Amino acid sequence: MKYDILIVGSGPGGYVAAIRAAQLGRRVALVERAEAGGVCLNWGCIPTKALLKSAQVYGYCRNAGHYGLELTGEVRPDPEKIVARSRGVAETMSKGVQFLLRKNNIDLIPGFGRLTAPGRLDVEGTTYEADHIILATGARPRELPFLPADGEHIVTSREALTLGRLPESLVVVGSGAIGSEFAWFYATLGVRVTVVEYLPRMLPLEDEEVSKAMERSFRKLRAAVLTSTTVKGVKITPEGMCEVEIEGRKGPETLVAEKVLSAVGIQANIEGIGLEELGVAVERGKVTVDPYYRTSVPGIYAIGDIVPGPALAHVASAEGICCVEAICGLNPDPVDYTTVPSCVFTQPEVASVGMTEQEARERGIEYKVGRFPFTASGKATAAGDRDGFVKLLFDADERLLGAHLVGASVTEMLAEPTLARHLGATAHRIARTIHAHPTMNEGIMEAAEAALGAAIHL
């Protein structure tokens, strides 16, 4: 069967690319070996947010007295029901993707796709042809030799999503978004959590002030955070406990926990899909592409987690749209990787876009900083969530370089500084844009005013 565009993988990169191609009048098919929507909708972004919401509601119940409410009886987490709700949310979203594919007349081909020649794809013994083939095969949790996941004692994010019983203790290796979110989830539900991070600070890709704020937040949860610490290995005792051998500032130590979560990054799914046979260029485990996601072989493209760049769902979607529009001759602007928003859905949340202060210093860029703490926010105070801040960086021309936010619901605030950076907005423009009161978003305006030396509420 012949298509205009064949896409391998139905995650946020693949299915978005397919829909955009169909909108542009192309005949499209999507190949998927598992559930529609890929890892993000089924085993990543969406079901984890459902788990985190359950933990947040549990936290509100435990602190009901703070809001003048009295609860009778004991509020306890039910892990099986929490997981069941999470799986239900994922199933709903996957069905939504299937509906969108049908609505746009996109064929969904089940099975594992493998390139056999330029313009040809084998799926479980059936050959399909297309003028253009887009690879969007995503990624899986990375495994390290000294931290081999067995699915029972040493688990990955996939197993952590579906634990039907809360462990007494948990060691989380890695403090990026995935590790931090799961650490917060389990610590909030009463698990004794220790986070081990190889680099000098938690959430090492974030601004230094953000990292420090989150380490303080985790300490309030009574979760230990060990930075500049290396995991040497894990032994499973006859009793089924995990002995985690680490080396940090205090020298060699052994942590004992019921389970270990390996959250040390991801690995691209590029094995067995025909790249080597066709000579598709790969470097450091990623497919090499140009700004429009063309590989070294004409007619073959790659997007999402298998190409260099941030491994984020929204980035994959942007790449998919750019790739398809280029194929269809629309001459789109390349994806701007300097303006990619990033979110961590702990409590407080973390949201950032653009340059950190450390990066600005290292590049020798002249900058000024505006900060606004949520302790000065009427909305944050009324909500009982005063932890956190807004931090904005501006260059010498007062154009936004970066935004770094910590606090309740700050991920919902991130679109404003992202758009401001995309449009080259100045501190003056942001400060003089009327923001509704009382809202958390006023913090953006207040931080811009602070950068101008004109803060009103500080």
Side-chain angles (χ1 to χ4, degrees):
M1 189 172 293
K2 180 73 180 289
Y3 292 92
D4 296 321
I5 300 176
L6 264 172
I7 301 170
V8 185
S10 72
Y15 86 78
V16 169
I19 291 172
R20 185 64 183 128
Q23 289 174 344
L24 294 172
R26 299 314 193 260
R27 188 182 184 202
V28 187
L30 197 57
V31 178
E32 175 55 61
R33 64 177 176 176
E35 305 96 338
V39 169
C40 176
L41 267 67
N42 293 279
W43 297 100
C45 321
I46 301 303
T48 56
K49 303 311 162 285
L51 293 181
L52 294 169
K53 188 63 180 182
S54 292
Q56 183 186 28
V57 172
Y58 176 62
Y60 277 135
C61 291
R62 293 189 64 187
N63 292 287
H66 179 74
Y67 297 92
L69 302 175
E70 184 176 335
L71 299 182
T72 58
E74 184 181 1
V75 178
R76 292 179 297 175
D78 186 327
E80 290 186 358
K81 290 182 179 179
I82 290 173
V83 169
R85 177 180 179 274
S86 172
R87 300 314 308 152
V89 168
E91 184 179 353
T92 297
M93 297 306 297
S94 181
K95 288 179 179 178
V97 170
Q98 294 174 54
F99 165 77
L100 291 173
L101 298 179
R102 291 193 299 270
K103 176 186 174 184
N104 288 279
N105 297 312
I106 298 165
D107 292 341
L108 182 60
I109 302 171
F112 185 89
R114 184 175 60 85
L115 296 165
T116 57
R120 288 193 173 188
L121 189 77
D122 175 84
V123 183
E124 310 295 340
T126 300
T127 298
Y128 297 88
E129 297 184 357
D131 296 326
H132 308 277
I133 298 176
I134 303 174
L135 303 175
T137 50
R140 61 189 184 276
R142 180 185 301 277
E143 287 198 28
L144 300 177
F146 55 83
L147 201 62
D150 60 13
E152 181 181 358
H153 303 99
I154 304 173
V155 301
T156 67
S157 57
R158 182 136 181 169
E159 292 85 27
L161 274 170
T162 55
L163 293 183
R165 183 183 66 82
L166 294 175
E168 291 289 331
S169 52
L170 173 70
V171 170
V172 178
V173 182
S175 72
I178 294 172
S180 293
E181 287 179 1
F182 275 112
W184 181 85
F185 170 74
Y186 282 107
T188 301
L189 296 185
V191 177
R192 190 172 71 256
V193 172
T194 301
V195 179
V196 179
E197 172 57 56
Y198 172 75
L199 294 173
R201 53 191 175 88
M202 187 179 188
L203 290 170
L205 298 182
E206 300 292 339
D207 190 86
E208 288 184 26
E209 289 185 44
V210 170
S211 295
K212 290 177 182 177
M214 291 309 296
E215 287 182 23
R216 289 194 299 269
S217 175
F218 269 65
R219 284 197 293 271
K220 288 181 182 178
L221 272 178
R222 297 183 179 178
V225 179
L226 306 178
T227 54
S228 298
T229 301
T230 303
V231 174
K232 297 295 187 179
V234 180
K235 297 178 181 178
I236 311 301
T237 70
E239 295 75 26
M241 298 296 287
C242 302
E243 293 183 345
V244 186
E245 299 175 1
I246 63 171
E247 186 168 344
R249 295 185 177 96
K250 298 179 181 179
E253 291 184 71
T254 299
L255 306 176
V256 179
E258 189 174 338
K259 291 190 183 295
V260 174
L261 168 60
S262 175
V264 290
I266 60 172
Q267 181 174 341
N269 293 325
I270 59 174
E271 302 88 352
I273 59 175
L275 299 182
E276 291 184 5
E277 291 82 351
L278 268 66
V280 176
V282 174
E283 185 176 350
R284 300 181 66 180
K286 299 274 189 173
V287 179
T288 303
V289 293
D290 72 5
Y292 295 105
Y293 308 100
R294 293 175 290 222
T295 70
S296 59
V297 176
I300 299 175
Y301 310 76
I303 61 172
D305 294 354
I306 66 172
V307 303
L312 298 168
H314 43 283
V315 173
S317 296
E319 291 172 345
I321 291 172
C322 179
C323 178
V324 164
E325 290 185 348
I327 288 172
C328 295
L330 298 187
N331 194 29
D333 291 332
V335 173
D336 179 7
Y337 290 100
T338 70
T339 310
V340 173
S342 175
C343 300
V344 183
F345 294 86
T346 50
Q347 293 295 329
E349 294 180 344
V350 173
S352 62
V353 65
M355 202 174 293
T356 66
E357 187 172 0
Q358 182 182 9
E359 289 170 335
R361 286 197 305 266
E362 290 173 351
R363 297 183 189 185
I365 296 173
E366 183 181 343
Y367 67 93
K368 62 176 66 175
V369 178
R371 296 179 179 83
F372 182 76
F374 286 125
T375 51
S377 163
K379 180 62 180 293
T381 302
D385 288 315
R386 304 178 76 201
D387 288 347
F389 56 84
V390 176
K391 177 180 179 180
L392 303 182
L393 277 72
F394 297 93
D395 65 16
D397 296 322
E398 296 184 352
R399 297 193 183 278
L400 186 65
L401 287 172
H404 307 280
L405 293 73
V406 176
S409 302
V410 294
T411 57
E412 307 299 336
M413 298 167 54
L414 187 57
E416 179 183 353
T418 302
L419 181 61
R421 178 166 166 76
H422 180 68
L423 297 177
T426 63
H428 180 80
R429 288 288 187 186
I430 296 171
R432 292 297 170 259
T433 299
I434 298 174
H435 287 63
H437 175 76
T439 61
M440 297 288 284
N441 275 81
E442 288 175 289
I444 303 291
M445 175 186 69
E446 298 271 6
E449 289 174 342
L452 295 171
I456 301 296
H457 293 101
L458 288 178

